[in-house]
Amino acid sequence: MTSPHRFLLSAPRRVVQVCAAVGAAAVLVTGCGSDSGKGSGASEAASDSADSRTVKDATGKAIQVPAHPKRVVTLTQEDLDAVLALGIKPVGITNGQGLAKPPAYLADKVKDIKVVGNLLQPVIDKVVAAKPDLILAGDMQDEQMLKQLREITPATLVTMAPTDDWKLSFRGVGNAVNALDKANKVISGYEAKAKKAGEGLGGNKGAEVSIVRWNPDGPSWMERKQFASGVALDMGLKRPKSQDKDGNAHTPALSLERINEIDGDWLFLSTLTSDGEKALKEVQEKPAYKDLNAVKKNHAVTVDGSVWSTRGGPLASEVVIDDITKALTKS
């Protein structure tokens, strides 16, 4: 688990300069603070005023945010997942990854929320109309877009760095909305659920699960620290030896000659686009695919790519746990 001391209270400038060297992999309260037994809930953060706090975003930029944001706009489904898990209803959201609508697993929670654009591609006029007092910009790297968003509200934060896992990003969002204590409780609840689910898998307890996204030009397996893989590992499952790589990305698309790399006791397959879905359907008719051990055992499972192939969040993690449990406990 990531140390909560990355989310500590404000400190004098000379201490802040030391902290900056540690990095900014999540949204942090400016400064390092001390190692007191109290921990580091956002409620302990020093405020610039009664109405604002200063936090550091994932790029290390210090940003003033409302002490209690009322109108939050999210530009990625990970940020959307995070605020919904914290009980916050945003006033503007973007469509899901590879989708022209919000992700299906969150659809019932966002029915009446206005869409302000596609993933990391907000329509500025629509963002303005939402009147946000806080914008959560995911892993946006478009400096020109960030400048435009900060003209709408200076409280625009990059919430994810390239190497962040979902728990760290979620804690950062929790801190940004002054709900770090609640974020930590959500993570504890997730970890307990994952452990319990993994222990209830019977003969499949500790099985090797292959996690694959099918692209138009072939399959890519996910590294150990990628979101869905992390959930599987938290359930006590393993990854095939060929996929036991300690990263948070996915491999380049594999050729059909290397399709054996995606094999495992169980194979979870996802797509993100209609072209990827078409390519998967085509390869499922080929002998090389049919010869995979997981396929022969009827252990190949198709899952939602907008959940399994993303950077994830607490609500998405529940879907992955449920998908794995359903597959591995079926009769």
Side-chain angles (χ1 to χ4, degrees), residues 110-124:
V110 300
K111 289 178 181 177
D112 56 347
I113 301 177
K114 292 188 176 181
V115 174
V116 300
N118 292 327
L119 175 71
L120 293 175
Q121 295 178 323
V123 178
I124 293 298

Side-chain angles (χ1 to χ4, degrees), residues 11 27 41 62-63 130 138-139 149 154 164 170 173 175-176 185 225 252 258 267 286 303 313 329:
V27 182
I63 298 175
D139 55 346
L149 293 170
D164 290 351
F170 176 57
V173 171
N175 184 54
K185 289 178 182 178
K225 291 182 179 178
R258 296 176 59 190
L267 171 58
K286 296 183 180 296
V303 289
T329 58

Side-chain angles (χ1 to χ4, degrees), residues 129-202:
K131 299 179 181 178
D133 60 3
L134 177 66
I135 298 175
L136 302 177
D139 55 346
M140 180 174 286
Q141 299 177 27
D142 185 337
E143 292 297 331
Q144 185 60 36
M145 178 61 74
L146 286 170
K147 181 180 178 181
Q148 292 182 65
L149 293 170
R150 285 172 177 147
E151 289 173 355
I152 300 171
T153 174
T156 297
L157 289 79
V158 175
T159 60
M160 293 178 275
T163 58
D164 290 351
D165 65 22
W166 75 264
K167 296 178 189 177
L168 181 57
S169 296
F170 176 57
R171 285 192 174 97
V173 171
N175 184 54
V177 299
N178 215 347
L180 180 56
D181 287 344
K182 186 170 184 177
N184 284 327
K185 289 178 182 178
V186 169
I187 291 174
S188 295
Y190 151 78
E191 291 174 341
K193 177 177 180 176
K195 182 178 180 181
K196 182 178 179 180
E199 290 174 346
L201 294 177

Side-chain angles (χ1 to χ4, degrees), residues 59-118:
T59 69
K61 185 178 180 66
I63 298 175
Q64 194 171 58
V65 299
H68 301 286
K70 303 295 184 185
R71 300 185 63 82
V72 180
V73 166
T74 62
L75 301 186
T76 68
Q77 70 182 53
E78 290 84 4
D79 290 328
L80 173 59
D81 186 309
V83 296
L84 290 173
L86 293 170
I88 296 170
K89 185 176 181 178
V91 296
I93 63 176
T94 54
N95 290 320
Q97 184 173 344
L99 303 173
K101 58 185 177 180
Y105 80 102
L106 299 176
D108 62 336
K109 297 178 175 62
V110 300
K111 289 178 181 177
D112 56 347
I113 301 177
K114 292 188 176 181
V115 174
V116 300
N118 292 327

